[in-house]
């Protein structure tokens, strides 16, 4: 065996000149990109008036607010908060379900291996490019304040996201099952029903479960702008400086999200396990 000391570096340099003596044009792009990124970062901090002194001065105020949040106390509003939390969970569940139901057939039309449509894919991109909070503001002006606007905001926003995710899952499906159904005389609908959907439905179910968990947080945020739920209660208590109630509401949200994450995780693993056994 030869050790590192036995290697003839001069012979290696002669044999692989491109590795040891790379031209400047090959070495410059990476440092140039790093310098450009740092320049953009510094410019952004200056342009946005980032001030370390203001940040450190605000930390004392943050500490004071944190002390005022202890102990969490709902007062006499616990029934109202529980109802608002249920409203938030309903917004997340209904909005996600509606988005998934409408996105599934559209994703089939957008998948390249089924009925590829560039126009439809660009349409999904345009919907996905608008944040849920913006959709909430739009629907509040259309249907008025309340949870109905929140459901519509989440449904429309997730429709674009699900359309992309579902179509990519369909494109990644194994085509051997589809070809087998086609060879046995099956129609295009049979190929989708018995060749594609059994493969992608477990993936789709896992994505939907994850979005329900994520949309619980989104439903809280859009509630602050008037879409109902616990976010509306949270914004109201912050406005009147009831910090103990604010901390209680935050704890309720954290517990709800943790519970949904636990349940959805169990369901996702169960779905993946069944798929592996099948």
């Amino acid at each position: 065996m030869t050790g590192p000391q036995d290697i003839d570096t001069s012979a290696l340099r002669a044999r692989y000149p491109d590795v040891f003596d790379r031209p400047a044009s090959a070495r410059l792009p990476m440092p140039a990109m790093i310098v450009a990124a740092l320049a953009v970062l510094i410019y952004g901090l200056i342009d946005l008036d980032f001030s370390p002194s203001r940040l450190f001065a605000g930390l004392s105020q943050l500490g004071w607010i944190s002390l005022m949040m202890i102990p969490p106390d709902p007062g006499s509003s616990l029934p109202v908060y529980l109802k608002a939390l249920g409203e938030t969970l309903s917004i997340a569940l209904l909005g996600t379900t509606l988005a998934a139901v409408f996105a599934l057939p559209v994703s089939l039309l957008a998948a390249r291996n089924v009925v590829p449509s560039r126009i439809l894919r660009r349409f999904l991109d345009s919907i996905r490019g608008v944040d849920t909070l913006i959709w909430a503001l739009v629907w509040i002006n259309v249907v008025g304040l309340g949870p109905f606007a929140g459901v519509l905001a989440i449904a429309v926003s997730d429709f674009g996201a699900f359309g992309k995710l579902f179509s990519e899952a369909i494109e990644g499906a194994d085509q051997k099952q589809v070809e087998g159904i086609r060879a046995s005389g099956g129609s295009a609908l049979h190929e989708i029903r018995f060749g594609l959907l059994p493969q992608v439905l477990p993936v789709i179910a896992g994505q939907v479960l994850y979005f329900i968990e994520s949309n619980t947080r989104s439903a809280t945020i859009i509630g602050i702008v008037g879409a109902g739920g616990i976010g509306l209660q949270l914004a109201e208590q912050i406005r009147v400086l009831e910090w103990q109630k604010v901390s209680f509401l935050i704890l309720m949200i954290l517990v709800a999200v943790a519970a949904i994450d636990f349940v959805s995780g169990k369901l996702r693993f169960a779905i993946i396990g069944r798929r592996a056994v099948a």
Side-chain angles (χ1 to χ4, degrees), residues 112-132:
R112 293 186 179 91
N113 56 341
V114 181
V115 186
S117 174
R118 290 184 178 273
I119 296 177
L120 191 55
R121 293 179 75 91
R122 299 292 80 78
F123 172 69
L124 293 173
D125 291 340
S126 63
I127 293 179
R128 191 174 66 255
V130 180
D131 189 73
T132 307

Side-chain angles (χ1 to χ4, degrees), residues 216-249:
T216 303
R217 297 187 292 270
S218 298
T220 301
I221 299 301
I222 63 177
I224 295 176
V225 299
I230 201 168
L232 187 62
Q233 297 292 333
L234 183 62
E236 178 64 22
Q237 299 309 318
I238 291 175
R239 187 179 65 83
V240 297
L241 306 181
E242 290 284 352
W243 297 114
Q244 288 180 311
K245 292 184 177 181
V246 169
S247 62
F248 186 84
L249 288 169

Side-chain angles (χ1 to χ4, degrees), residues 92-113:
L93 180 60
L94 290 175
T96 308
T97 303
L98 285 174
V101 168
F102 285 101
L104 181 57
V106 174
S107 64
L108 289 169
L109 299 176
R112 293 186 179 91
N113 56 341

Side-chain angles (χ1 to χ4, degrees), residues 1-274:
M1 295 181 62
T2 60
Q5 65 276 11
D6 300 325
I7 297 176
D8 188 355
T9 56
S10 60
L12 290 176
R13 285 180 177 274
R15 188 174 182 180
Y16 304 104
D18 294 338
V19 175
F20 290 93
D21 300 314
R22 297 193 328 176
S25 59
R27 298 195 304 266
L28 285 178
M30 182 59 68
M33 291 176 60
I34 294 174
V35 171
L38 288 174
V40 171
L41 175 63
I42 294 171
Y43 173 78
L45 293 176
I46 295 173
D47 186 61
L48 297 176
D49 194 23
F50 178 79
S51 173
S53 60
R54 290 171 56 190
L55 176 62
F56 290 126
L59 289 178
S60 61
Q61 181 69 15
L62 178 61
W64 176 250
I65 292 175
S66 300
L67 290 175
M68 294 179 66
M69 287 184 172
I70 300 173
D73 183 13
S76 60
S77 304
L78 181 59
V80 177
Y81 294 163
L82 291 174
K83 180 181 178 181
L85 180 61
E87 202 171 76
T88 296
L89 298 177
S90 300
I91 291 172
L93 180 60
L94 290 175
T96 308
T97 303
L98 285 174
V101 168
F102 285 101
L104 181 57
V106 174
S107 64
L108 289 169
L109 299 176
R112 293 186 179 91
N113 56 341
V114 181
V115 186
S117 174
R118 290 184 178 273
I119 296 177
L120 191 55
R121 293 179 75 91
R122 299 292 80 78
F123 172 69
L124 293 173
D125 291 340
S126 63
I127 293 179
R128 191 174 66 255
V130 180
D131 189 73
T132 307
L133 184 61
I134 306 300
W135 282 117
L137 294 172
V138 170
W139 284 113
I140 285 171
N141 285 277
V142 173
V143 300
L145 298 171
F148 183 45
V151 171
L152 292 175
I154 288 179
V156 173
S157 178
D158 284 1
F159 173 77
F162 279 149
K164 174 181 174 59
L165 293 174
F166 293 176
S167 63
E168 290 179 348
I170 294 170
E171 290 170 356
D174 187 2
Q175 294 300 308
K176 293 180 180 179
Q177 298 185 28
V178 178
E179 293 170 358
I181 294 172
R182 185 183 304 140
S184 63
S187 64
L189 291 178
H190 289 147
E191 294 174 10
I192 295 173
R193 169 63 183 85
F194 299 104
L196 287 176
L197 290 183
Q199 297 185 64
V200 301
L201 282 180
V203 178
I204 289 174
Q207 292 171 343
V208 171
L209 288 172
Y210 171 75
F211 267 74
I212 290 175
E213 172 203 335
S214 176
N215 285 334
T216 303
R217 297 187 292 270
S218 298
T220 301
I221 299 301
I222 63 177
I224 295 176
V225 299
I230 201 168
L232 187 62
Q233 297 292 333
L234 183 62
E236 178 64 22
Q237 299 309 318
I238 291 175
R239 187 179 65 83
V240 297
L241 306 181
E242 290 284 352
W243 297 114
Q244 288 180 311
K245 292 184 177 181
V246 169
S247 62
F248 186 84
L249 288 169
I250 292 174
L251 285 176
M252 288 181 66
I253 295 169
L254 292 176
V255 170
V257 171
I260 293 172
D261 177 51
F262 176 79
V263 174
S264 63
K266 292 293 184 181
L267 291 175
R268 282 198 298 269
F269 280 119
I271 292 170
I272 294 172
R274 288 183 181 180

